[in-house]
Amino acid sequence: MANIFPKWTNHLPIQILVAGGVLFISVIAGMTYYFTPKYTRVGYQPVQPVPFSHSIHVNQLGLDCRYCHSQVENAAHSNLPTTQTCMNCHSQIKLNSPRLATVRDSWKTGQPIAWVRIHEAPDYVYFNHSAHVNRGVSCVSCHGQINNMAVVWHHEPQSMDWCLTCHRAPENHLRPVNQVTNLNWKPEDEGPGKDGKLRTQQEIGEQLKVAWNVNPPVTCAGCHR
Amino acid sequence: MKYFFLAFAAVVLAVVLIAGPRGYKSTNRPFEFFPDMDRQPKVKAQTESVFFADGIGPRQAVPGTVPLGWDIPAKAGGDKPEMQRATNGYTAAPDYFNTGKMGDRWGDGLPVPATAALMKRGQDRYVINCQICHGANGGGNGVTSKYGWVGIANYHDQRIVDMADGEIFNTIANGKNTMYGYGGNITVADRWAIVAYVRALQKAQLGRPSDLTPEQQANLK
């Protein structure tokens, strides 16, 4: 009787095992690397209808975030500015610039500018800007150095893991409330403490956490209500 | 086995090249792997709506709408009777606190107690909203004046020093000539805080030693 299985098939089981193992591990590795907001969201930088630059308006002119995002301290939602907010200045400055044509059209017709939304939490998550901003969590902790961006991109993953990392150790992010919109703030700016040494983020954070009794929710119902 | 590894390497290379590293700048909308209930059919703040013909989710008030807001009446009311709230604290009542007008002329005086906290609040709001044009000391020399904007009002002009508080309040709310209104961005109470701070800026620039009590004058020397 002839051999049904030729000699090379002796290695087949081990080869299938090795190939299967390699495939399995690489699929898992690929999923952990790619199937997370760290990959899907970070770096999202859509083309906006107006080439608006935060670095010109914040760094160069010195506008405060709240001149435009005026409800961020009072509301859950941080609003985008109205067309009038742009026209406050652009009715006088650069009033013929072609890059501002969309703004002028919007001002004439009353149709809002269709800004493309970048940061967008899922609708089953309860998120509140005012709860964070009034407790010394800066925009920079959640949005990155917006003041240096010519075009805004998604800088932090804003996943559930990311929220919880801060909620478990908020002292790494707290700062005095009047410095929340100063994205260049450094703990050293607060000057030396009692011992004459410059103070660290840890010290300032701990102190504020105790002073304000900061206690961010880590139970499911805190964010999924 | 050799062919398997070659094919495997080619696939990995293709995936890495197409997908790129984390943080790679991209204009594509983020992919949602499990989109269950991520986007619910409700209108959230500043979103589009397919229901209305103009596509705007948040609607404007129909002309003639009567505001039903309510503030705590105890909060407002100055020392003069005209400053007292007209009706029982409806947010859009046509009284001095909301309009800056007493009868049909601009009223003078703050309808809220002038406390240190009010000044602090006024300073805070002034720096955010007004400093960019009117400058840190109110001289009309803010950043925008360096970009060719002439005619930004100087608070130290006698005309504005003599101006009634109610008129400044109205300028903040509704604007004046080339200055657009800030009524949509600044709450009514904050507008009065800013008025108080504008007065303080004028005092800081135009105050004279004779404004001080004799003891304070002695301290100056």
Side-chain angles (χ1 to χ4, degrees), chain A residues 11-28:
Chain A
H11 295 301
L12 204 56
I14 190 102
Q15 280 176 340
I16 288 175
L17 227 66
V18 168
V22 167
L23 278 180
F24 183 72
I25 290 172
S26 49
V27 166
I28 301 272

Side-chain angles (χ1 to χ4, degrees), chain B residues 99-221:
Chain B
T99 60
K101 276 191 169 172
M102 290 178 182
D104 44 8
R105 49 183 186 86
W106 301 117
D108 209 0
L110 290 179
V112 285
T115 58
L118 184 82
M119 279 297 175
K120 197 90 200 64
R121 180 75 186 167
Q123 178 180 33
D124 200 40
R125 296 297 114 176
Y126 180 87
V127 169
I128 295 171
N129 291 297
C130 321
Q131 177 167 306
I132 191 81
C133 293
H134 287 282
N137 68 0
N141 51 0
V143 173
T144 47
S145 66
K146 298 184 180 61
Y147 288 87
W149 191 339
V150 285
I152 300 174
N154 176 351
Y155 294 157
H156 312 308
D157 282 352
Q158 197 56 38
R159 188 176 62 83
I160 299 180
V161 174
D162 295 339
M163 193 179 275
D165 289 341
E167 190 169 359
I168 297 185
F169 171 89
N170 182 63
T171 302
I172 300 175
N174 302 318
K176 180 86 173 244
N177 303 337
T178 48
M179 173 178 154
Y180 288 10
Y182 283 76
N185 287 13
I186 307 175
T187 61
V188 178
D190 282 347
R191 288 175 221 161
W192 286 112
I194 295 177
V195 171
Y197 186 70
V198 167
R199 290 303 187 207
L201 286 176
Q202 293 174 336
K203 265 265 151 35
Q205 207 75 8
L206 305 171
R208 269 175 296 275
S210 55
D211 295 343
L212 301 176
T213 61
E215 295 146 44
Q216 286 169 329
Q217 289 185 16
N219 275 345
L220 282 181
K221 289 170 192 128

Side-chain angles (χ1 to χ4, degrees), chain A residues 23-103:
Chain A
L23 278 180
F24 183 72
I25 290 172
S26 49
V27 166
I28 301 272
M31 281 169 72
T32 25
Y33 191 78
Y34 288 122
F35 283 30
T36 137
K38 288 190 188 117
Y39 169 75
T40 53
R41 285 189 188 147
V42 177
Y44 175 44
Q45 188 181 36
V47 180
Q48 299 289 353
V50 180
F52 171 79
S53 157
H54 277 80
S55 86
I56 289 183
H57 291 85
V58 178
N59 273 354
Q60 189 180 323
L61 304 180
L63 275 172
D64 190 284
C65 310
R66 290 165 291 178
Y67 184 90
C68 293
H69 305 290
S70 52
Q71 305 302 330
V72 67
E73 295 171 304
N74 311 323
H77 173 76
S78 166
N79 62 311
L80 290 194
T82 56
T83 301
Q84 190 195 321
T85 307
C86 309
M87 291 305 281
N88 282 341
C89 290
H90 288 295
S91 59
Q92 297 288 323
I93 294 167
K94 298 248 175 204
L95 62 170
N96 293 320
S97 167
R99 308 177 73 193
L100 284 157
T102 315
V103 178

